[in-house]
């Protein structure tokens, strides 16, 4: 459930703490830094850019302008980015999809929460439109240089690979967008770590360390609630999607470098990672194990004129990790999502009653993978609704009667389709017959 949650190419570095204690996230103090400290930080831009260029192996094509932003100014930048990338109608559809799948409460105010979350999290950001980077004006001087290093990696990426091409991502392919974002942010995070080590005089080959992603995923986050209360209280779907590009992205870049070189990573900007699956399992990126594209059948003929399609997108492996882990153990969710091959979902809304139906068509690497997902989603459904399967359920088809309509989970070979919210058995049968007409490419 990625759904365009990026909200600025920003260094949202909360909770990125390595067990090696070589780098920590920028803790945001309430007081603004002094003008002297601000001038000192910004005057270091050119020197930091030279170090980052050396560490990354990308030449500096032009100087990078820098400036400071207050929290209010950063909030305005976030709002501007949100308005440009996501319309009010898209936010409404996104929120309805989240609520229908039990990921947020029905009255959750998604856009307002995103603004508050990014206001808390953004330590700095690079603006491809102007070629400038901005530093949060309240950061302690001790934390500013690593944030500058992170953002200057984005400046070098932009000079060599053109980051503006990622700003207008095609609608309905959020999983691939998340993967591209993870490439960009994962690289900046890894180089930031290298910069921090370099400044301490530590020469350490990060490719020889255990997975950075696993290290960061296993860290103790008890302090997050105090330092980042908005992030700590965020629904899992928001928190994990915002952290994915930095945590999984750093592990992805580390693995690519271990298997190749910076040139291998450079090639990734020409032949982008195609899915969150390739970020989680970098070997699938290196072998170009690309996802199956699903052309989902239009369900409106089975629904009638009072319905409209409100939302449609791709969940991806990471999306299903989040979706399942909302109601079943995280490790079980990871295992069930690991055999993902491709998917497509759509949300339909009744224009008269506001009733919602979400349909998903998924395909898996093997029939065994499909069975694991089928069982996990059934477990999720039972936990979420507290519902028992209907008596006519079988090993391949499970139907549940819930307070939000009928839920159907059906497996055929390596494919699993899910319908949630059908109003009666007749409608469910029509929807199922139509949904199974979807095509795989």
């Amino acid at each position: 459930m990625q759904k365009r949650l990026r909200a600025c190419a920003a260094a949202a570095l909360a909770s990125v703490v390595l067990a090696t204690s070589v780098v920590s996230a920028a803790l945001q103090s309430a007081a603004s830094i002094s003008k002297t400290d601000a001038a000192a930080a910004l005057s270091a831009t050119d020197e930091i850019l030279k170090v980052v260029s050396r560490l990354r192996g990308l030449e500096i094509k032009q100087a990078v302008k820098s400036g400071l932003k207050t929290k209010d100014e950063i909030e305005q930048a976030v709002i501007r980015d949100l308005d440009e990338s996501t319309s009010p109608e898209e936010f409404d559809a996104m929120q309805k999809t989240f609520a229908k799948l039990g990921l947020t409460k029905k009255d959750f105010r998604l856009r307002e929460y995103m603004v508050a979350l990014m206001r808390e999290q953004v330590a700095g950001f690079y603006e491809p439109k102007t070629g400038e980077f901005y530093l949060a004006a309240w950061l302690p001087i001790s934390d500013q240089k690593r944030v500058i290093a992170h953002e200057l990696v984005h400046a070098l990426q932009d000079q060599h690979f053109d980051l503006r091409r990622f700003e207008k991502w095609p609608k309905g392919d959020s999983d691939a967008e998340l993967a591209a974002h993870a490439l960009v942010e994962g690289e900046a995070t890894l180089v930031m770590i290298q910069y921090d080590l370099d400044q301490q005089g530590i020469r350490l080959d990060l490719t020889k360390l255990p997975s950075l992603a696993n290290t960061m995923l296993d860290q103790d986050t008890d302090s997050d609630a105090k330092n980042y209360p908005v992030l700590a209280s965020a629904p899992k779907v928001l928190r994990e999607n915002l952290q994915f590009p930095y945590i999984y992205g750093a592990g992805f870049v580390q693995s690519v470098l271990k298997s190749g070189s910076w040139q291998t990573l450079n090639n990734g900007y020409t032949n982008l990672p195609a899915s969150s699956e390739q970020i989680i399992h970098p070997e699938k990126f290196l072998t170009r194990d690309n996802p199956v594209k699903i052309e989902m059948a239009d369900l409106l003929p089975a629904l009638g004129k009072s319905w409209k399609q409100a939302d449609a997108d791709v969940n991806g492996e990471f999306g299903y990790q989040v979706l399942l882990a909302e109601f079943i153990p995280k490790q079980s969710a990871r295992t069930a999502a690991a055999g993902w091959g491709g998917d497509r979902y759509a949300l339909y809304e009744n224009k008269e009653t506001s009733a919602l139906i979400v349909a998903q068509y998924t395909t898996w690497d093997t029939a065994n993978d499909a069975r694991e997902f089928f069982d996990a989603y059934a477990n999720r459904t039972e936990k979420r609704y507290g519902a028992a399967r209907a008596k006519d359920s079988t090993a391949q088809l499970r139907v549940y009667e819930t307070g939000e309509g009928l839920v159907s989970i059906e497996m055929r070979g390596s494919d699993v389709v899910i319908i949630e919210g059908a109003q009666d058995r007749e409608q469910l049968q029509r929807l199922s017959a139509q949904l199974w007409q979807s095509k795989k490419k």
Side-chain angles (χ1 to χ4, degrees), residues 261-309:
S261 63
W262 283 114
Q263 184 55 51
T264 306
L265 195 72
N266 293 349
N267 295 339
Y269 284 92
T270 301
N271 197 2
L272 293 169
S275 65
S276 60
E277 176 189 49
Q278 291 185 355
I279 300 298
I280 298 169
H281 311 284
E283 69 277 7
K284 295 194 174 187
F285 165 75
L286 295 170
T287 60
R288 300 312 302 187
D289 182 0
N290 289 330
V292 176
K293 299 294 185 182
I294 305 296
E295 185 179 307
M296 190 168 167
D298 183 5
L299 302 188
L300 288 176
L303 287 168
K305 295 182 179 179
S306 62
W307 292 80
K308 67 176 182 178
Q309 185 184 99

Side-chain angles (χ1 to χ4, degrees), residues 115-177:
V115 172
L117 184 58
M118 297 308 293
R119 177 184 171 95
E120 176 189 77
Q121 288 295 294
V122 177
F125 64 94
Y126 172 76
E127 179 54 76
K129 293 177 183 178
T130 62
E132 299 179 66
F133 94 85
Y134 299 96
L135 185 67
W138 61 90
L139 286 178
I141 187 68
S142 59
D143 291 314
Q144 290 165 0
K145 288 188 176 182
R146 63 172 62 97
V147 175
I148 292 174
H150 183 108
E151 297 312 314
L152 291 179
V153 176
H154 291 323
L156 290 173
Q157 291 167 334
D158 191 31
Q159 291 179 15
H160 286 263
F161 310 120
D162 182 18
L163 295 186
R164 292 204 65 182
R165 62 194 170 107
F166 300 133
E167 292 178 355
K168 299 295 182 181
W169 199 270
K171 304 289 185 180
D173 197 10
S174 292
D175 188 56
E177 181 180 23

